[in-house]
Amino acid sequence: MTRSRHFSHAFIFDLDGVLTDTARQHLAAWGALARMLQLPFDAAMEEQLRGLSRMDSLEHVLGPAAGRFSAERKQALAEHKNAAYVDAIAGLTPADLLPGALAALQAVRAGGWGLALASASRNAPTVLARLGVAPLFDHVVDPASVAHGKPAPDIFLAAAQALNVAPAHCVGIEDAAAGIQAIRGAGMFAVGIGSPQVLRGADLVLPDLLGLQPGLYLR
Ligand code: B16
Ligand code: MG
């Protein structure tokens, strides 16, 4: 759904790890799958998985063992992981918004700028609804509609196009290195949420959304 208006600028948010800490539940579900398959799963892999699509994440978790699994088995493993994730997010409420998230979204709306979601997650509409913030968004990109997942810029470009705002007038906000690469590839101003060591390449890195000042990043 796109609420159509004319926007001079737009803010395009990632979901998991930015607005809510569901990155934690994604990683726990992947860790459980790796243990079930007796495959290694370490802290470095956790960082690399952030923002990747479900099937790209699965390839990463399987690593060199990926060739041993048929396409059907991979599909079943991805569904197994998703079932664990869906269970884990069943009880999400607005209290699960990360600090500063609601105020950041409200500040964008108060500024009259466009607001879109560019999450790789097919569960994003459910998560947004449970967090109580779905009505604030002008557009939510369907990740199934874009050809290439993050780190490709496609999902951010699709958001800008839906809002009819030039990429140079958009600000993207991400917690994943792959997401920052996607935003930069789209030609947008990139705000990283997390650690500057991990989010190299971002125009600005903040520890959380509490310090977000949307009006400062427009060009
Ligand atoms: P699903 P984001 C991403 O969401 C997660 O960071 C990533 O861990 C997950 O694999 C991906 O969504 C796909 O999620 O399996 O629910 O479709 O960070 O882009 O909001
Ligand atoms: Mg994320």
Side-chain angles (χ1 to χ4, degrees):
M1 189 273 293
T2 311
R3 215 176 354 236
S4 54
R5 274 185 47 199
H6 177 73
F7 301 112
S8 63
H9 293 85
F11 288 78
I12 305 171
F13 282 77
D14 174 50
L15 176 64
D16 298 315
V18 170
L19 296 177
T20 185
D21 196 16
T22 40
R24 200 165 41 85
Q25 286 96 327
H26 274 297
L27 295 173
W30 285 124
L33 185 82
R35 278 193 300 284
M36 181 183 95
L37 299 171
Q38 298 186 309
L39 294 170
F41 191 80
D42 57 20
M45 190 172 301
E46 293 192 3
E47 224 25 88
Q48 292 156 5
L49 285 178
R50 277 180 193 268
L52 298 191
S53 75
R54 197 178 303 171
M55 294 314 282
D56 287 350
S57 299
L58 177 67
E59 290 295 325
H60 221 84
V61 170
L62 298 180
R68 299 208 310 258
F69 297 86
S70 67
E72 293 71 27
R73 177 89 170 112
K74 285 181 182 173
Q75 200 54 50
L77 290 173
E79 279 164 24
H80 180 89
K81 178 267 169 182
N82 190 53
Y85 176 72
V86 166
D87 268 359
I89 59 164
L92 276 188
T93 73
D96 292 299
L97 281 166
L98 281 167
L102 183 59
L105 299 176
Q106 287 171 336
V108 170
R109 291 210 62 85
W113 301 302
L115 178 56
L117 191 83
S119 169
S121 176
R122 293 172 189 232
N123 293 295
T126 305
V127 172
L128 273 192
R130 290 195 182 142
L131 294 173
V133 293
L136 294 175
F137 284 83
D138 299 298
H139 184 71
V140 175
V141 182
D142 174 2
S145 72
V146 298
H148 307 287
K150 303 169 189 178
D154 303 27
I155 194 163
F156 285 94
L157 291 172
Q161 196 177 17
L163 297 177
N164 199 21
V165 176
H169 291 165
C170 293
V171 176
I173 300 131
E174 261 285 353
D175 70 311
I180 293 296
Q181 207 181 316
I183 295 169
R184 294 301 305 271
M188 301 176 181
F189 187 90
V191 178
I193 302 295
S195 139
Q197 281 77 41
V198 175
L199 302 175
R200 287 175 215 282
D203 293 293
L204 169 76
V205 180
L206 300 170
D208 51 45
L209 286 174
L210 287 168
L212 193 84
Q213 299 185 66
L216 289 188
Y217 321 129
L218 305 180
R219 48 189 182 183

